[in-house]
Amino acid sequence: MPFAVYVLGLAVFAQGTSEFMLSGLVSAIAADLDVSLSAAGLLTSAFAVGMVLGAPLMALFSRTWPRRRALLLFLAVFIAVHIVGALTPGYGVLLAARFVGALANAGFWAVALAAAVSMVPDGLRGRATAVVVGGVTIACVVGVPAGAVLGERWGWRAAFWAVAVVSLPALWAITRSVPGGVPGDRDRDRGRGGGTAPVADARGTASAGQGHETAPAPARTPAPIPVRDELRLLLAAPHLLPTLLTMALVQGATFCAFSYLEPLLTRTTGLTITWVPLALALFGAGAFLGVGAAGRYAERRPTAFIAYGMAALALGWSALALTAGRPLAALALIPLLGMLAFGTGTALITRVLGLAGRSSTLAGAFGTSAFNLGAAVGPWAGGLALEAGGGYRSPVWVSAALMALALLTEGARRLRRVRSRERASGSTAG
């Protein structure tokens, strides 16, 4: 695996920490800036909205840039807004900084996913995607708890400074390791970014009937596809839109239950607040294992991997809702659900990138938007269930319902695929 892919994972770790760390800092921010808890909570919503809107917009904005330049710009902006956030005395500036930081984060995600798969052979696309997405899971295990500790000891601004500092080595490493090719320059990028020899051009071998070898012809960079044509090709790609919908539902189920895990454990399971960081770490550890499993096995049988993972998630969220009153059962299910959720999500991202062809950057953008749309809608749906008086198990039941919908969309996609194959074989036979 090229070193550059791991560098992208490091940057995503810092960005994932920023996205989720406010869950442990909301009270401190509200007290320091003299705003309500709900207003402080809007800082998370602003980030989610920025991610959903920013992924396609930033991908279109940077689609013809060399990927290294785009990654450096997005990461530099991300670092800058965290410095601004750490220094600002006002809530409005912090809210704007979160939104702008999300735009930069979304753009980085879209380009990073496309860059990672362009640097490896087709058989390693799943593993490259897993390394990048693995940055988020490590953030859940290490970054978010560390941000909470920093906030408790030195104030919430220390967590913002830490994110900026952790991002600096990635900024330097990207300049040294990520190929500078433009999107679509896959053959030149493949094998680079880590010292592996690039694929030789067949035109550099000896010509038949000649006594000498011709010099390798320089690789031609494909001309950029016009934006309208690229969007048309992307949206016309078979099964892409159903896959994006399925991805949003899976992530919605994940973040619906994850967002309300603390009240479930303390008020239904009966655990003390000191158990919550351990439970979150267990979920993150499971997520890390799930991403690794997706990178290693999902490429072999992607359809089965996704289908079994989704079915297991539907059963798993239902089991957690039913056994939430039993501490051992709840603590045993949490890492298993983290593994299933992030393993299935990673396999879905890999499918999106595989369906895109030359539109991989825009596909990564739409995948990022679908991921964060689920992250925004899931907690909102869980909150509605709580406000309706459903109790602290109700968000978990909502997660199970969202997974049932995801299974329906995946089943409809597979049925449509079978029918299209039958029509194709029928026309060939005729």
Side-chain angles (χ1 to χ4, degrees), residues 53-67 69-75 77 103-104 106-108 110-111 183 224 227 230-231 361-362 365:
L53 298 177
L57 292 177
M58 293 300 101
L60 287 172
F61 175 70
S62 62
R63 62 187 292 274
T64 60
W65 292 5
R67 284 181 172 141
R69 182 195 302 174
L71 292 169
L72 289 173
L73 175 63
F74 289 135
L75 188 55
V77 172
L103 293 178
F108 187 95
V111 178
V227 174
E230 186 169 356
L231 282 172
T361 301
L362 279 182

Side-chain angles (χ1 to χ4, degrees), residues 380-391 394 398:
W380 170 76
L384 289 181
L386 281 173
E387 291 178 2
S394 59
V398 172

Side-chain angles (χ1 to χ4, degrees), residues 15 45 53 79 249 272 277 295 327 330 336 358 360 362 371 382 399 416:
Q15 294 169 3
S45 299
L53 298 177
I79 293 171
L249 290 169
T272 62
L336 177 62
R358 287 183 59 189
S360 56
L362 279 182
F371 184 100
S399 294
R416 183 179 177 183

Side-chain angles (χ1 to χ4, degrees), residues 8 11-12 15 19 50-63 65-68 70-71 74-75 101-119 129 132-133 136 183-184 230 234 244 349 352-353 356-372:
L8 298 177
V12 168
Q15 294 169 3
E19 183 171 4
M51 288 290 289
V52 172
L53 298 177
L57 292 177
M58 293 300 101
L60 287 172
F61 175 70
S62 62
R63 62 187 292 274
W65 292 5
R67 284 181 172 141
R68 182 168 57 203
L71 292 169
F74 289 135
L75 188 55
L103 293 178
N105 188 5
F108 187 95
W109 256 95
V111 178
L113 286 170
V117 299
S118 74
M119 288 186 282
T129 303
V132 176
V133 178
V136 176
E230 186 169 356
L234 186 62
L244 291 172
I349 292 174
V352 168
L353 295 173
R358 287 183 59 189
S359 303
S360 56
T361 301
L362 279 182
F366 283 120
T368 302
S369 291
F371 184 100
N372 286 278

Side-chain angles (χ1 to χ4, degrees), residues 106-320:
F108 187 95
W109 256 95
V111 178
L113 286 170
V117 299
S118 74
M119 288 186 282
V120 298
D122 289 341
L124 293 178
R125 288 184 310 173
R127 295 183 67 178
T129 303
V131 170
V132 176
V133 178
V136 176
T137 66
I138 297 175
C140 293
V141 177
V142 179
V144 174
V149 171
L150 288 174
E152 182 180 353
R153 294 192 176 185
W154 293 292
W156 64 270
R157 298 176 191 272
F160 279 70
W161 281 114
V163 169
V165 169
V166 170
S167 301
L168 289 175
L171 191 70
W172 174 83
I174 286 171
T175 64
R176 306 284 297 179
S177 61
V178 174
V182 298
D185 209 3
R186 179 178 173 86
D187 288 334
R188 289 177 59 189
D189 287 350
R190 186 184 298 163
R192 296 177 62 182
T196 304
V199 179
D201 193 313
R203 286 170 292 186
T205 58
S207 302
Q210 295 182 359
H212 63 278
E213 293 184 357
T214 60
R220 294 183 178 180
T221 299
I225 307 174
V227 174
R228 290 183 180 179
D229 293 343
E230 186 169 356
L231 282 172
R232 190 180 301 112
L233 288 172
L234 186 62
L235 295 177
H239 317 298
L240 178 63
L241 291 179
T243 299
L244 291 172
L245 176 58
T246 301
M247 184 189 302
L249 290 169
V250 170
Q251 297 307 321
T254 300
F255 287 99
C256 178
F258 182 77
S259 298
Y260 299 100
L261 198 57
E262 181 265 327
L264 178 74
L265 293 175
T266 57
R267 304 183 192 189
T268 299
T269 310
L271 297 174
T272 62
I273 193 68
T274 56
W275 282 89
V276 174
L278 173 62
L280 295 176
L282 286 173
F283 185 90
F288 181 77
L289 293 175
V291 169
R296 188 170 297 273
Y297 302 114
E299 201 73 40
R300 301 176 186 176
R301 297 184 61 193
T303 301
F305 188 95
I306 291 169
Y308 292 147
M310 290 168 55
L313 276 170
L315 294 174
W317 291 126
S318 299
L320 180 60

